[in-house]
């Protein structure tokens, strides 16, 4: 293989072409669909979810990128977090490109800011996995509409070019500048809305001892570590229409990294990650027999305890 | 050549741009695009979400003509029904949506309906629809409906 062979694996063709246009170095890149490959360098990044772009350099995965125009409301953004976590675990630079602030249209129109807990979790990903997880802002205009005149990718294009030109070294100025901006956005957001300093009401940190009174745990043997951790993050999710993945399989990881983790493995937690789905019964859970389905796989994999309406998993 | 809906979407955009159309809005089947999305809301649905609303895959303009394009890999009659509905019973909502999102008044403009796809199967394209058949090249059916350069 010659030096500097690039392959752009895409989830959607127009995004593959878009990514290719970010750098002149990618003009000869081969574009390939993620869905059609069995390349292990690509497949390893699909363990939790499917990113939009995976860039290979000389056969090795170097960037995993998530692009979105979605207004950063609620869980719109966190639901994609699994892709970013997988990249970090595989020591691949993860990039999230989307608006930090944008106007939501429709009945509930208004300005929506990014939930900066995700940015905090991304900085923790770097701390534990020693590979950058970067959020690059898709800027908006004075009316909070996304800029769509081509200049919106200037910052991202500059970052991608610098990474390519420095052989994807994570220690370049371009990376530290993005991380600095992420930190500034966190600080500004927490000043604007102090609630961001803590977990949200749906994910409160409580005393682990409270689970000793939970009848659903009668007769259940929990691992010794569970009650050795004084605190647990108790994340309650609604699933009135049945078991589903988005946004919870991604959001659980935002809270995990932002509040629970002390290291790269899920065993490295100082606070338990507990998920409760009060709408879902054990029967509902068991009725989904495909254990490889994303929701079942991810909700079993990460929480220390998964509580349902009438029992535990 | 792997042909899926995102490929047809990209090729259609490229063809329209190369032929003098300005792409105003778009909604790719998968992933995102740099284009704004136009949602024609269902006036009878006031709750959160998009129940009963329409999103048009591509909206383009050339002079006083607005081109609405629905994109699939394989022909689907539901796209015919959708565009017929949008340009008749929901025409007022279409005008309002474009005014709100793009500050564009199309009330006096001509609207052309079109499909873009790879596999036509054995279907017939209605006389009032343009069809872009996307493959290695693009073949245009009912091209006479489009404005001349």
């Amino acid at each position: 293989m010659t030096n500097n062979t690039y392959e752009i694996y895409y989830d959607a063709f127009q995004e593959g072409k878009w990514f290719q246009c970010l750098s002149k170095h990618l003009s000869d890149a081969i574009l390939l669909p993620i869905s059609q490959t069995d390349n292990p360098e690509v497949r390893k990044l699909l363990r939790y979810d499917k990113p939009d772009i995976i860039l290979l350099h000389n056969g090795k995965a170097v960037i995993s990128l998530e692009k979105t125009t979605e207004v950063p409301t609620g869980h719109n953004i966190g639901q994609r977090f699994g892709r970013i976590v997988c990249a970090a675990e595989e020591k691949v630079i993860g990039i999230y490109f989307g608006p930090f602030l944008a106007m939501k249209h429709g009945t509930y129109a208004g300005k929506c800011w990014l939930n900066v807990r995700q940015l905090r979790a991304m900085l923790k990903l770097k701390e534990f996995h020693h590979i950058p997880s970067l959020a690059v802002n898709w800027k908006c205009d004075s009316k909070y509409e996304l800029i769509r005149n081509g200049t919106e990718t200037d910052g991202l294009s500059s970052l991608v070019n610098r990474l390519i030109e420095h052989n994807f070294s994570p220690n370049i100025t371009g990376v530290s500048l993005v991380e600095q901006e992420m930190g500034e956005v966190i600080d500004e957001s927490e000043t604007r809305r102090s609630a961001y300093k803590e977990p949200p009401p749906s994910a409160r940190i409580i005393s682990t001892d409270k689970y000793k009174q939970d009848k659903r745990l009668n007769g259940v043997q929990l691992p010794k570590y569970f009650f050795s951790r004084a605190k647990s993050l108790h994340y309650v999710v609604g699933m009135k229409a049945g078991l589903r993945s988005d946004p919870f399989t991604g959001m659980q990881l935002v809270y995990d990294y932002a509040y629970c983790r002390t290291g790269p493995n899920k065993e490295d937690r100082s606070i338990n990650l507990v998920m409760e789905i009060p709408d879902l019964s054990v029967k509902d859970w068991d009725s989904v027999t495909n254990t490889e389905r994303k929701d079942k796989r991810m909700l079993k994999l990460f929480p220390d305890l998964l509580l349902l309406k009438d029992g535990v998993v | 050549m792997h042909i899926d809906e995102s490929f047809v979407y990209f090729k259609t955009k490229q063809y329209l741009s190369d032929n003098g159309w300005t792409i105003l809005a778009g909604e790719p089947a998968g992933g995102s695009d740099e284009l704004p999305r136009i949602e024609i809301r269902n006036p009878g649905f006031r709750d959160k979400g998009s129940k009963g609303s329409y999103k048009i895959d591509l909206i383009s303009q050339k002079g006083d003509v607005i081109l609405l394009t629905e994109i699939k890999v394989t022909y689907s009659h539901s796209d015919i029904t959708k565009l017929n509905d949008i340009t008749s019973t929901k025409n007022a909502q279409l005008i309002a949506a474009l005014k709100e999102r793009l500050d564009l008044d199309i009330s006096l403009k001509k609207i052309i309906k079109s499909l873009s796809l790879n596999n036509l199967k054995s279907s017939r394209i209605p006389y009032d629809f343009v069809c872009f058949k996307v493959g290695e090249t693009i073949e245009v059916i009912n091209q006479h409906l489009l404005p001349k350069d």
Side-chain angles (χ1 to χ4, degrees):
Chain A
M1 190 175 287
T2 58
N3 277 343
N4 299 327
T5 301
Y6 293 103
E7 296 161 89
I8 299 170
Y9 284 86
Y10 62 82
D11 187 30
F13 185 74
Q14 80 275 359
E15 288 182 336
K17 295 296 277 185
W18 164 85
F19 184 81
Q20 184 175 34
C21 291
L22 291 179
S23 172
K24 62 181 187 299
H25 300 293
L26 300 176
S27 57
D28 293 330
I30 302 164
L31 270 70
L32 297 159
I34 290 174
S35 62
Q36 303 282 308
T37 189
D38 55 4
N39 185 330
E41 272 295 296
V42 176
R43 304 299 307 175
K44 73 182 186 183
L45 293 168
L46 310 183
R47 289 185 291 112
Y48 301 153
D49 204 348
K50 194 189 331 175
D52 292 327
I53 297 291
I54 297 171
L55 177 67
L56 268 58
H57 175 228
N58 294 342
K60 186 174 178 313
V62 287
I63 289 177
S64 174
L65 180 138
E66 187 63 21
K67 175 196 179 198
T68 183
T69 58
E70 291 285 342
V71 175
T73 58
H75 292 156
N76 260 348
I77 308 310
Q79 69 187 46
R80 301 158 198 276
F81 200 68
R83 307 160 201 184
I84 300 168
V85 169
C86 191
E89 289 181 356
E90 297 294 339
K91 303 289 188 255
V92 172
I93 296 171
I95 299 176
Y96 167 85
F97 178 58
F100 289 0
L101 168 64
M103 178 63 75
K104 179 176 167 60
H105 293 270
T107 310
Y108 300 91
K111 288 181 296 188
C112 295
W113 279 270
L114 179 70
N115 181 345
V116 292
R117 297 181 184 98
Q118 170 171 321
L119 298 187
R120 187 184 298 124
M122 290 177 79
L123 293 175
K124 288 283 190 180
L125 276 172
K126 179 176 180 180
E127 185 183 328
F128 300 145
H129 295 284
H130 310 295
I131 192 82
S133 291
L134 305 170
V136 179
N137 185 18
W138 186 326
K139 294 182 178 156
C140 56
D141 61 22
S142 58
K143 296 180 182 174
Y144 308 103
E145 299 292 346
L146 295 193
I147 291 172
R148 300 177 193 268
N149 59 11
T151 64
E152 69 273 11
T153 53
D154 285 352
L156 178 63
S157 176
S158 172
L159 173 66
V160 170
N161 273 301
R162 286 191 192 190
L163 285 168
I164 291 173
E165 288 157 8
H166 292 85
N167 204 30
F168 304 94
S169 164
N171 301 314
I172 60 172
T173 307
V175 168
S176 55
L177 284 174
V178 171
E179 290 171 339
Q180 183 183 327
E181 186 184 349
M182 290 166 68
E184 289 168 357
V185 170
I186 292 171
D187 291 341
E188 183 276 328
S189 295
E190 290 179 348
T191 300
R192 173 171 38 82
R193 187 168 178 238
S194 61
Y196 279 136
K197 294 180 185 176
E198 304 294 332
S202 60
R204 286 278 181 240
I205 293 178
I206 62 172
S207 167
T208 304
D209 279 349
K210 290 206 166 159
Y211 296 106
K212 291 179 178 171
Q213 277 85 51
D214 194 320
K215 289 185 171 52
R216 289 172 290 186
L217 295 176
N218 286 351
V220 174
Q221 188 77 19
L222 289 173
K224 283 183 187 165
Y225 71 76
F226 187 83
F227 286 105
S228 72
R229 295 174 183 155
K231 300 285 184 195
S232 295
L233 184 140
H234 189 99
Y235 179 28
V236 181
V237 305
M239 288 192 193
K240 285 187 164 52
L243 183 64
R244 68 179 219 251
S245 59
D246 290 337
F248 310 113
T249 52
M251 281 309 299
Q252 64 171 342
L253 290 168
V254 172
Y255 300 139
D256 187 7
Y257 274 90
Y259 302 110
C260 302
R261 291 267 182 129
T262 57
N265 304 301
K266 64 178 182 176
E267 293 78 20
D268 303 321
R269 287 178 179 146
S270 60
I271 296 175
N272 290 319
L273 176 65
V274 176
M275 182 173 279
E276 180 176 9
I277 314 176
D279 302 314
L280 209 66
S281 66
V282 172
K283 185 179 171 195
D284 293 331
W285 174 269
D286 289 342
S287 70
V288 177
T289 55
N290 179 2
T291 56
E292 287 308 302
R293 209 172 90 168
K294 178 178 157 187
D295 42 21
K296 267 209 126 163
R297 186 166 41 85
M298 296 281 283
L299 293 176
K300 269 202 81 169
L301 183 59
F302 288 104
D304 292 304
L305 176 63
L306 178 54
L307 289 164
L308 303 178
K309 179 160 64 178
D310 53 354
V312 306
V313 173
Chain B
M1 184 170 56
H2 173 73
I3 295 181
D4 61 11
E5 201 165 316
S6 65
F7 178 87
V8 177
Y9 175 88
F10 178 84
K11 286 296 187 185
T12 306
K13 268 182 59 179
Q14 193 175 54
Y15 175 84
L16 292 173
S17 293
D18 290 346
N19 283 276
W21 291 86
T22 301
I23 312 294
L24 300 175
E27 171 84 10
S32 60
D33 203 357
E34 72 279 10
L35 297 170
R37 276 180 293 183
I38 300 298
E39 184 173 356
I40 298 163
R41 298 190 74 84
N42 177 358
F45 185 73
R46 298 251 173 247
D47 208 339
K48 280 185 187 179
S50 302
K51 187 176 177 181
S53 67
Y54 284 135
K55 290 177 190 168
I56 303 173
D57 292 342
L58 273 179
I59 302 178
S60 323
Q61 181 179 11
K62 187 191 260 191
D64 283 330
V65 176
I66 301 293
L67 182 69
L68 308 181
T69 309
E70 283 296 303
I71 294 172
K72 291 266 191 319
V73 174
T74 302
Y75 174 87
S76 168
H77 190 72
S78 63
D79 288 335
I80 303 286
T81 307
K82 176 178 171 181
L83 287 181
N84 281 339
D85 192 25
I86 288 171
T87 53
S88 57
T89 60
K90 294 197 169 54
N91 193 55
Q93 286 94 313
L94 170 66
I95 292 171
L98 288 173
K99 180 66 181 164
E100 193 224 345
R101 286 293 273 127
L102 303 177
D103 198 23
L104 179 68
D105 183 359
I106 66 162
S107 52
L108 297 179
K109 296 194 190 298
K110 180 181 178 185
I111 298 177
I112 297 177
K113 300 167 286 191
S114 67
L115 307 179
S116 188
L117 44 79
N118 169 254
N119 183 1
L120 193 49
K121 296 196 290 189
S122 54
S123 305
R124 283 187 61 186
I125 299 299
Y127 72 93
D128 57 341
F129 274 72
V130 174
C131 178
F132 303 99
K133 195 161 173 303
V134 175
E136 295 262 357
T137 58
I138 292 185
E139 176 193 340
V140 184
I141 300 168
N142 290 339
Q143 189 167 21
H144 63 276
L145 295 174
L146 296 174
K148 293 180 176 36
D149 290 329

